[in-house]
Amino acid sequence: MRTVMFSQARQELASLLDEVANDRTAVEIMRRDKRSAILIDKDEYEGMLETLHLLSTPANAKRLIEALEEATDGRNLIQHGLIEPKE
């Protein structure tokens, strides 16, 4: 994550917006004697909110983690002739 001071961010706002949109990177904007803020792409922000929502209940989080483990192990995948199923 890149860090810039507020005065620099103000001068380079358009290029910072392009950077976070194109590179999907976050930029920390720091202010003197105040808390900093993070500038991120809207799609990234919405994705984080969706992830938080999906993981907000223990039962749903458990199901998602199990599904991820199965996919990583190659189990319970629908085959479309692209890869051979693992035994």
Side-chain angles (χ1 to χ4, degrees):
M1 175 172 27
R2 197 173 109 163
T3 301
V4 298
M5 294 302 296
F6 174 77
S7 57
Q8 179 184 358
R10 187 175 50 216
Q11 293 172 0
E12 300 175 9
L13 183 58
S15 63
L16 288 174
L17 291 170
D18 290 340
E19 182 179 332
V20 299
N22 297 333
D23 300 339
R24 303 287 186 183
T25 59
V27 175
E28 178 181 13
I29 300 173
M30 295 181 61
R31 298 185 299 169
R32 193 177 319 232
D33 301 325
K34 294 190 179 183
R35 294 177 56 125
S36 62
I38 306 296
L39 180 65
I40 60 171
D41 181 72
K42 183 180 178 191
D43 290 341
E44 292 291 316
Y45 174 74
E46 289 173 347
M48 287 190 297
L49 289 179
E50 183 176 352
T51 300
L52 288 172
H53 173 72
L54 291 172
L55 297 174
S56 65
T57 62
N60 201 42
K62 182 181 177 194
R63 283 191 297 271
L64 290 169
I65 290 168
E66 288 171 354
L68 179 61
E69 289 171 351
E70 288 176 1
T72 301
D73 292 342
R75 296 180 282 130
N76 296 329
L77 298 177
I78 298 172
Q79 302 300 319
H80 294 282
L82 299 176
I83 58 173
E84 294 295 320
K86 289 186 177 181
E87 297 288 326

